[in-house]
Each structure stands twice: as C-alpha cells, then as structure tokens.
Amino acid sequence: MAVERTLSIVKPDGVRTNVIGEVFKRFESAGLQIVAARMTSLTKAQAQAFYAVHRERPFFDSLTTFMSSGPIVASVLEGEDAINRNRELMGATNPAEAAPGTIRKEYASSVEQNIVHGSDAPETAREEIGFFFSHADLVQGVRT
Ligand code: ADP
Ligand code: MG
C-alpha cells in the first residue's frame, strides 16, 4: 500500500464547537501523521474556487457561505492509504448515514455542517494540498 498525502479541513463548525483537538487526535490515533497544519479562513470567492466541482449543485451557495463563515484548520495527513483511511475516519457526508464512531457521526449537525473535509482521490489531494500549502510548508523526513 502506497504512502499518500491528503488534505483535511476542520470546517468552521468544528472550530466553533471546539473539536479541532478531537479531530486531530483521531488522525494521530489512527497512525496518520500531521505533516502540515494551519488555521486560516476562506473568502466567499476562495470557498467557491475550492468547491468549484460542486458549482452546479443546489447547495453550492449555502455551502460556500458556510465555508467562509469563520476560521478553519487545514492540514496535510500522511500515511499508508491516507486518502481512504481519512475518509473512513470522517464517515459518510450525511452524519445521519455515518457509521458509529466516525467524526461526522459524533460531531456533525447536518449534511452541510459536517465538521470535516477530506480529499477523495490522489489527483484531488494534490490539487487541494496545493490550494493551502506551498512545497516549503510540507515537513520532510519527520516519519520515524
Ligand atoms: P464529502 O465532503 O463527503 O466529500 P461532497 O464532496 O459530496 O461530500 O460534498 C462536499 C460538501 O458539500 C459536503 O461535505 C457538505 O458540506 C456539502 N454537501 C454535500 N451534500 C449536501 C447536501 N445535500 N446539502 C447540503 N450540503 C451538502
Ligand atoms: Mg468531496
């Protein structure tokens, strides 16, 4: 299984409800290494660019307003099969359908305000990491 990197975001609802640490703890407990992390915020235009793939969806305007409503924490997770493993830790998009013990099942309040984002494939992971981090931000050689 290949070592991968994936982009995670603790969304504004996760920052507001004080679960940044809970989310990070789950990544670390699962053996995913946090190799970059940054608190930032998105303008409406930046949120629209980040979620451009969803621009035709009925929830696009509401989603991008939510994503630009407060601070977020972007991070890069590294590990074997990191993309899929992060998706498993997150749980289904709709918390009502998420498996017990997943981040979204435990903390999310709605299908829109669902605490975390995670890249869904190697190509999107590369693009999304580049949206938030420069090459120099990514820690090299910290794996033990
Ligand atoms: P995921 O984040 O699980 O990859 P999607 O890529 O399908 O899910 O959607 C991106 C984000 O858009 C979701 O995390 C959620 O915040 C929002 N979203 C998805 N579907 C809906 C919906 N039906 N109504 C409102 N918001 C939605
Ligand atoms: Mg997605």
Side-chain angles (χ1 to χ4, degrees):
M1 200 75 71
V3 173
E4 295 175 336
R5 285 178 169 177
T6 189
L7 183 84
S8 168
I9 301 174
V10 179
K11 296 183 178 184
D13 56 333
V15 175
R16 275 194 281 272
T17 57
N18 268 358
V19 297
I20 299 166
E22 295 296 332
V23 171
F24 274 22
K25 184 175 175 177
R26 283 159 186 263
F27 298 153
E28 294 187 324
S29 296
L32 294 174
Q33 187 150 26
I34 299 164
V35 297
R38 185 157 72 90
M39 180 173 275
T40 183
S41 57
L42 296 174
T43 63
K44 175 85 172 176
Q46 287 171 327
Q48 289 169 331
F50 183 79
Y51 276 120
V53 66
H54 294 307
R55 64 188 170 279
E56 306 297 339
R57 309 284 286 276
F59 56 80
F60 182 67
D61 188 59
S62 175
L63 170 63
T64 53
T65 294
F66 161 58
M67 286 300 292
S68 57
S69 68
I72 61 173
V73 178
S75 65
V76 178
L77 310 179
E78 183 181 280
E80 300 237 328
D81 198 24
I83 296 167
N84 283 326
R85 284 176 53 220
N86 179 43
R87 297 285 311 190
E88 281 169 18
L89 295 171
M90 290 163 57
T93 306
N94 185 346
E97 292 161 11
T102 59
I103 293 167
R104 284 167 165 171
K105 185 65 169 188
E106 296 288 313
Y107 304 116
S109 58
S110 72
V111 65
E112 179 174 278
Q113 302 207 12
N114 59 4
I115 303 285
V116 278
H117 168 83
S119 307
D120 61 10
E123 186 51 36
T124 49
R126 237 185 322 277
E127 277 174 28
E128 291 177 359
I129 289 169
F131 191 96
F132 287 99
F133 297 97
S134 71
H135 185 72
D137 293 324
L138 296 166
V139 177
Q140 302 291 332
V142 296
R143 290 168 61 79
T144 53

